[in-house]
């Protein structure tokens, strides 16, 4: 009798409930633990918004001022929290406005689910009002996408969307739902997805490959590690730290890998790539074993491929088989999750220090310090530099801030000079290089981690691409700190024009509005700094503010970011001036 009662209770618990498709979408979000989503309503998604209104005590919808802002905010949320970011928009232009953020999330491996409304299914293909084939458009820049035309598909598709977005190498997923499917009623039942046939998100670690890797590392005289975001995405920071400390290997980072270990760690030798540090770039072409962990050998990291680490044995730790041998030929490929791979590697490694090899990095750091770093952070010139602004932010935030940077000179300066004491502290647009990323991404990051100081570092050009998101700050009162480094130029393009186009500054000089007045128009406290003696107090005031704060710092107009690997050059041909 007792067994029958238990069975009856179980059946009641799993009983299907008849609801509409639009309510099902919201219920699926709740089942996946979504508490914040970013979006912009419109006709084809209005039924879902109407249903969302009834659940506003459980899901906080953030009305961004542009759909692109919704995707970047969802990215910022995902990057700092490790959760799946969610963005929602209507059909047609609402959906197409998501594409830049989706493409950005795809190349930077950011877990995101985007939901778009679509015209009723009987109008598909008829060029109906605000109809766009968003599935076709988004296919090249999504990890997976699907169009729902029948409400009964919703639970399975949504569960699959979240699973695919966050599993293995993360990425963006788009779910397009026709308006009639939103109104249809069906028997709702939700089961979380735990696997998809033919999709193996995490390859099994091959112990024999680990043994080969360990042998190469143990026998190396000049080993060097380049790590990327895979360490952070795999939550492998502690395992990574244990490996480098035991083996004593100098370790450099890609911009998305920054903050996996603290900037001050003695084995952290700086950033690689076009504007990376001098020592790790030069010594990439001197090391005898190059160990790549969770990075994809992007062209900005490798420079001229046929002159990249040709003298070295290459070991590649990677979760995505498609990245193996895609750009750089590897000698040993270790497929698998970084956390598992590094944990298994650790006991196979011999303790080492490589002191002489470390001294080479220290020697070259001193060269860079004298030629570049000293002038960036302790300038003798009258005008302010971007580097000294970052230095002051480090001082006032004690290196605890999450830095969300846009794209350009300020991005490279932020990556080079920000102090990162915590993981997930460097949030930027890496692979796509999306101007306009930082302001909305900072909003999402602060909402995901309200206990952290979040500072957006933006150039005057990129700032104006998504400046309307100040309205989102006004409405939500999210206390992000915004620093615009204003040189009245599209600085990175201008730098190339100065160095390679005989200073023909074609369409790069900016005539800017009064940024402080604009900020105040959105009721955001604001200040402009033009002199060095004003900087420390202004940054202190910004960090101390419990509300959002806007700080404009007018910096030197024609400063260049060095070091620099010229396009098409080898990484060892890096320029210091």
């Amino acid at each position: 009798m007792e067994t029958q009662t238990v069975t009856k209770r179980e059946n009641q618990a799993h009983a299907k409930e008849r609801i509409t498709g639009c309510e099902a979408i919201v219920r699926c979000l709740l089942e996946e633990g979504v508490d914040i989503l970013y979006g912009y309503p419109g006709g084809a998604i209005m039924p879902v918004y109407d249903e969302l209104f009834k659940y506003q005590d459980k899901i906080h919808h953030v009305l961004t001022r542009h759909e692109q802002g919704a995707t970047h905010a969802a990215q910022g949320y995902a990057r700092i929290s490790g959760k799946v970011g969610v963005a929602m928009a209507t059909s047609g232009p609402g959906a197409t406005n998501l594409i830049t953020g989706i493409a950005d999330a795809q190349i930077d491996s950011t877990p995101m689910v985007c939901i778009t409304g679509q015209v009723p299914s009987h109008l598909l293909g008829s060029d109906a009002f605000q109809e766009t084939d968003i599935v076709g458009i988004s296919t090249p820049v999504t990890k997976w996408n699907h169009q729902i035309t029948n409400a009964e598909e919703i639970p399975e598709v949504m569960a699959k969307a979240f699973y695919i977005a966050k599993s293995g190498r993360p990425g963006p997923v788009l779910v397009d739902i026709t308006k009639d499917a939103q109104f249809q009623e069906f028997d709702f039942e939700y089961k979380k997805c735990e696997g998809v046939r033919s999709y193996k998100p995490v390859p099994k670690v091959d112990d024999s490959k680990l043994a080969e890797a360990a042998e190469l590392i143990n026998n190396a005289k000049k080993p060097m590690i380049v790590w990327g975001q895979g360490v952070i995405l795999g939550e492998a920071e502690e395992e990574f730290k244990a490996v480098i400390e035991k083996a004593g290997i100098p370790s450099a980072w890609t911009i998305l890998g920054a903050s996996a270990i603290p900037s001050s760690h003695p084995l952290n030798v700086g950033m690689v790539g076009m504007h990376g540090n001098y020592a790790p770039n030069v010594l990439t072409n001197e090391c005898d074993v190059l160990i790549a962990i969770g990075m994809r050998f992007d062209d900005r990291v490798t420079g001229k491929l046929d002159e990249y680490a040709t003298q070295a044995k290459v070991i590649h730790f990677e979760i995505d088989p498609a990245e193996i041998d895609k750009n750089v030929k590897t000698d040993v490929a270790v497929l698998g999750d970084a956390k598992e791979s590094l944990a298994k590697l650790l006991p196979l490694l011999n303790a080492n220090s490589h002191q002489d090899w470390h001294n080479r990095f220290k020697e070259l750091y001193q060269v860079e310090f004298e030629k570049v770093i000293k002038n960036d952070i302790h300038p003798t010139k009258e005008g302010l530099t971007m580097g000294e602004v970052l230095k002051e932010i480090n001082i006032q935030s004690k290196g605890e801030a999450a830095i969300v940077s846009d794209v350009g000179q300020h991005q490279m300066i932020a990556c080079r000079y920000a102090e990162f004491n915590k993981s997930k502290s460097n949030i930027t647009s890496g692979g796509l290089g999306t101007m306009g990323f930082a302001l909305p991404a900072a909003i999402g990051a602060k909402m995901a981690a309200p206990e952290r100081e979040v500072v957006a570092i933006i150039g005057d050009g990129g700032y104006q691409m998504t400046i309307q998101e100040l309205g989102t700050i006004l409405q939500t009162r999210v206390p992000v700190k915004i620093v615009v480094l204003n040189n009245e130029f599209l600085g990175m393009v201008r730098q190339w024009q100065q160095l390679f186009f005989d200073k023909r500054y074609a369409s790069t000089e900016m005539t800017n509005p009064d940024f402080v007045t604009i900020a105040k128009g959105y009721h955001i406290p604001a200040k402009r700094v033009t002199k060095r003696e004003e900087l420390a107090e202004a940054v202190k005031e910004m960090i101390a503010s419990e509300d959002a704060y806007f700080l404009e710092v007018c910096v030197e107009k024609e400063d260049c970011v060095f070091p620099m690997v010229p396009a098409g050059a080898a990484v060892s041909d890096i320029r210091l001036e």
Side-chain angles (χ1 to χ4, degrees), residues 510-523:
M510 305 283 286
T511 300
N512 289 320
D514 186 334
F515 291 129
V516 169
T517 297
I518 291 171
K520 288 181 177 178
Y522 284 96
H523 302 284

Side-chain angles (χ1 to χ4, degrees), residues 65-142:
R65 295 312 188 255
H66 191 283
E67 292 88 354
Q68 181 182 342
T71 53
H72 294 328
Q75 286 178 274
Y77 175 95
R79 293 272 288 275
I80 203 168
S81 69
K83 300 177 182 177
V84 177
V86 182
M88 189 158 68
T90 192
S91 63
T96 59
N97 281 343
L98 298 176
I99 291 296
T100 296
I102 293 172
D104 195 290
Q106 173 79 340
I107 200 165
D108 282 355
S109 304
T110 303
M112 182 165 67
V113 169
C114 293
I115 301 164
T116 54
Q118 185 54 274
V119 301
S121 53
H122 71 278
L123 291 177
L124 289 172
S126 70
D127 291 334
F129 177 68
Q130 291 193 334
E131 182 197 359
T132 299
D133 178 11
I134 195 62
V135 170
I137 290 170
S138 66
T139 294
V141 292
T142 49

Side-chain angles (χ1 to χ4, degrees), residues 443-465:
I443 292 170
K446 183 64 177 177
M447 288 181 167
E451 75 287 354
R452 296 201 62 183
E453 191 70 76
V454 175
V455 181
I457 307 293
I458 317 177
D460 49 308
Y463 183 55
Q464 292 177 83
M465 288 194 170

Side-chain angles (χ1 to χ4, degrees), residues 428-444:
T428 193
S429 173
L432 198 64
T434 304
M435 291 175 68
F437 171 88
L439 182 58
I443 292 170

Side-chain angles (χ1 to χ4, degrees), residues 489-552:
F489 268 109
L490 298 177
M492 187 60 83
V493 184
R494 184 212 54 76
Q495 175 167 333
W496 281 53
Q497 290 172 333
Q498 178 180 333
L499 297 176
F500 308 116
F501 292 88
D502 298 324
K503 293 190 176 182
R504 292 188 297 275
Y505 294 156
S507 303
T508 48
E509 192 161 10
M510 305 283 286
T511 300
N512 289 320
D514 186 334
F515 291 129
V516 169
T517 297
I518 291 171
K520 288 181 177 178
Y522 284 96
H523 302 284
I524 297 170
K527 183 169 283 188
R528 177 184 294 112
V529 168
T530 60
K531 298 176 182 177
R532 183 163 290 116
E533 55 267 26
E534 302 169 336
L535 180 63
E537 188 58 36
V539 173
K540 182 179 179 181
E541 183 178 314
M542 176 187 74
I543 296 296
S545 175
E546 294 183 1
D547 301 313
Y549 194 100
F550 174 83
L551 179 63
E552 176 187 6

Side-chain angles (χ1 to χ4, degrees), residues 462-484:
Y463 183 55
Q464 292 177 83
M465 288 194 170
T466 51
I467 195 171
Q468 70 277 354
E469 299 309 329
L470 293 176
T472 307
I473 295 173
L474 172 64
Q475 187 159 348
T476 61
R477 313 310 304 174
V478 59
V480 297
K481 310 299 168 59
I482 306 157
V483 179
V484 166

